[in-house]
Amino acid sequence: VNTMASRPKSKRDYLSFSALSLYATCPLRYYFRYVACLSEETISASLVFGAALHAGVELHFRELLAGNAAPSLDALLYEFQMAWKSRSVPEVQFPAGENLDTFRRLAERMFRAFQASDFARPSGTIIGVEEELRGPISTGLPDLLARVDLLIDADDALVVTDFKTSRCRWSQDHVIEASRQLLLYHELAGQLGNGKPVKLEFAVLTKAKMPELVLHDVPADVDQLQRTKRIAERVWRAIESRHFYPSPSPLNCTACPYRRACLAWSG
Ligand code: SF4
């Protein structure tokens, strides 16, 4: 950790939205993950849960893409459990009173809500599931690498959907706050649409006693897109200049997998 100055610059020749967000959250955490490539010491149960839930939803759409029937609830739960087991970090931090069984029961309720939703039966043709798109978004920036959860060729638009799990329903402010990710994806998806407009949406499934899935349209706001690009350029410049420093806060640090490395960091 102390040899940061002597390490080579990050070899990544692309940007991802999650990397940009991580830098904005805590530059040192970005460094540990993407430059020093430290192994994570722990992982929060909610992160493992989100990824495993995602795996079940991905399986659903992959089967539809292949022309097969939608998988059963049992198949989704099996996929969930396999994804949970195959996580790369062994030590999972559970919140007080929670364990794998409570998370599994939550997954079952959420998959039921997902299967009952219109989102699970999209109109139009599925043309991509977890589709990787890569391309330039601004001069002076490396390519953006995007992993699009679902791409649908509908009658009037190419629909780009990002699937999220959330503790509670998203407000409109939350949608706008999160929209930067999809606005950047809009830039890449626009090249696939054969002239069709690109429609952006979030599919948000709540982690509740009675989960619900709500679709939120994201307006392709040109001003917001330009602002997002300027933010990405500034963040990239800071990364290239190796501005890595801790940004401690209870919100950032409680679930940080690099707390020990951070305490040992001396600049
Ligand atoms: S413990 Fe906090 S300050 Fe340190 S790297 Fe993690 S998030 Fe950043």
Side-chain angles (χ1 to χ4, degrees), residues 26 28-29 32 246-248 252-253 256 259 262:
C26 175
L28 188 59
R29 186 164 165 182
F32 288 146
S247 178
N252 287 349
C253 303
C256 177
R259 276 187 290 181
C262 181

Side-chain angles (χ1 to χ4, degrees), residues 16 33 66 68 100 103 158 167 188 226 228 232 247:
S16 67
R33 171 151 187 191
N68 300 329
L100 178 53
F103 275 96
L158 185 70
R167 275 186 185 283
L188 303 178
Q226 292 308 325
T228 302
S247 178

Side-chain angles (χ1 to χ4, degrees), residues 128-133 146-151 160-162 185:
V129 177
E130 292 288 321
E131 190 74 22
E132 268 194 4
L133 306 178
R147 191 178 279 271
V148 176
D149 290 338
L150 188 63
L151 264 178
V160 174
T161 308
D162 195 67
Y185 290 8

Side-chain angles (χ1 to χ4, degrees), residues 17 20 23-24 141 180 224-238:
F17 185 79
L20 289 170
Y23 185 90
L141 274 183
R180 286 180 295 151
Q224 280 302 320
L225 172 61
Q226 292 308 325
R227 184 171 182 274
T228 302
K229 285 185 184 180
R230 297 298 85 80
I231 294 171
E233 288 160 4
R234 298 300 195 285
V235 168
W236 181 245
R237 243 180 270 161

Side-chain angles (χ1 to χ4, degrees), residues 25 64 74 80 82 106 135 138 164 181 187 194 200 203 219-220 230 238 241 249 258 260:
T25 303
L64 298 190
D74 282 349
F80 172 88
M82 288 301 104
L106 175 59
S138 174
K164 303 282 191 201
Q181 175 188 5
E187 287 286 275
N194 279 335
L200 306 171
R230 297 298 85 80
S241 308
S249 76
Y258 304 115
R260 254 185 300 180

Side-chain angles (χ1 to χ4, degrees), residues 22 43-44 71 77 79 93 123 132 145 148 164 189 217 219 227-229 231 242:
L22 188 61
I43 190 165
S44 74
L77 284 169
E79 194 70 11
Q93 280 182 323
S123 52
E132 268 194 4
L145 183 71
V148 176
K164 303 282 191 201
D217 286 339
R227 184 171 182 274
T228 302
K229 285 185 184 180
I231 294 171
R242 304 181 65 76

